[in-house]
Amino acid sequence: PWNGRLTLLLVPYPSVIHANDFRPIRGPLLNMDTSRFGFFEFAPTEPLDPADVLGLVADAYRRVGQIDAVVLPEAALDETQVPEFQERLVKGGVSYLITGVRRPASSEEPFGANYAYIGGEDWQAIQHKHHRWCVDPAQIHQYHLGAALDPGHRWWEAIRIQRRSLTFVTTTEPEGLTICPLVCEDLARPDPVTDVIRAVAPTLVVGLLLDGPQLAARWPARYASVLADDPGSSVLTLTALGMAWRSQPSGFSPSRVIALWKDPHRGLQQIALADDARAVALTAHRREVDVVSADGRSSSEPVSELVLSGLEQID
């Protein structure tokens, strides 16, 4: 039974991203001006080894106790890796996996897929990405991708856009925890889904990103603040260390801030990965609050919030 404590193991894979992990591919849109636009797909050179993550889970267990979920960034796993990885985590005592998943384009299907996966021992749910990433010349310079992507072009992510829908998962253990996963740009461009999120008011929104460092001054913090203020959800964003490290705009030093947490009680928290660490164990505790409407009516029952209560570097 849930004692009001939730511990997530944040694994910012891949720790290194090479320029040629971004690959130009032929797009199917015949009316596109190929002198100005192109398509790309992302695939890390080194595939994630489940054994490495299970080792991190074991280390985290020795330091903080039970790990409830492993969280990986956007596009961390190839679709073919997910079933085995999920099975091995459950056997290792981890109830849930929340990860970004990619499916490459192929000769039969010119667009691939990019989605969030959330699953347990005998169930799974996915949340497709609603917006293609457009890598413009400024981002090519920011992430130093010129060896792979021509900075004279704007490059669109080669994924198929599905009909818009939102996924909410309410867990039985921990009891009553409602999670809404989002993928990168969907956090930044939530309309018209914002009204749905506000109506449901999930306990936790998890943003899986392939983005620069999760600093308080950058865009993820702004949009996390919106959801933490109204409807009062706690928000976690996680990016790959390799992408955070590649993000070096002029005048800025490399950063190891791989995650950000915002809750209505304690506010904004940047989460940096220590130099000798490979993951961070994040613990949040349930806090019961009474909700009062604008006209002074109180809720019949207290509402649960998740409040950040601990961070542990795992090496």
Side-chain angles (χ1 to χ4, degrees), residues 58-269:
D59 289 344
Y61 182 83
R62 287 191 288 268
R63 298 189 185 199
V64 300
Q66 176 64 38
I67 301 299
D68 297 295
V70 167
V71 186
L72 296 164
E74 177 183 5
L77 291 181
D78 184 282
E79 194 174 54
T80 59
Q81 296 177 285
V82 175
E84 178 190 358
F85 192 37
Q86 173 73 81
E87 181 180 359
R88 293 182 68 171
L89 283 178
V90 170
K91 288 181 178 178
V94 178
S95 298
Y96 306 114
L97 169 64
I98 306 173
T99 183
V101 179
R102 64 185 187 277
R103 182 199 309 143
S106 65
S107 57
E108 295 80 17
E109 175 52 71
F111 281 131
N114 184 342
Y115 59 87
Y117 168 96
I118 178 169
E121 183 173 8
D122 54 5
W123 62 271
Q124 65 181 34
I126 64 174
Q127 170 65 56
H128 282 283
K129 187 176 183 179
H130 293 153
H131 301 281
R132 292 187 181 104
W133 182 13
C134 181
V135 181
D136 59 26
Q139 289 180 313
I140 291 174
H141 292 299
Q142 174 183 340
Y143 294 113
H144 301 274
L145 299 176
L149 303 179
D150 182 350
H153 290 57
R154 296 171 70 93
W155 296 90
W156 289 97
E157 185 179 12
I159 60 171
R160 181 170 297 282
I161 301 301
Q162 308 286 340
R163 182 177 180 181
R164 286 188 180 180
S165 64
L166 279 177
T167 298
F168 297 93
V169 173
T170 299
T171 62
T172 55
E173 188 176 334
E175 182 180 0
L177 176 65
T178 301
I179 302 172
C180 175
L182 296 174
V183 187
C184 210
E185 282 85 357
D186 293 354
L187 180 65
R189 297 196 286 175
D191 294 329
V193 300
T194 306
D195 291 341
V196 180
I197 294 176
R198 286 179 175 147
V200 176
T203 322
L204 177 63
V205 175
V206 180
L208 307 179
L209 313 181
L210 195 59
D211 183 46
Q214 299 302 284
L215 303 174
R218 296 189 67 247
W219 69 267
R222 294 197 299 273
Y223 292 99
S225 296
V226 170
L227 294 177
D229 293 340
D230 181 16
S233 301
S234 297
V235 183
L236 168 69
T237 67
L238 175 65
T239 191
L241 175 62
M243 206 63 185
W245 198 250
R246 289 197 74 89
S247 177
Q248 295 182 43
S250 177
F252 289 84
S253 300
S255 172
R256 294 176 67 88
V257 178
I258 49 97
L260 179 143
W261 175 277
K262 177 73 184 284
D263 64 54
H265 182 63
R266 291 193 58 192
L268 193 68
Q269 174 83 42

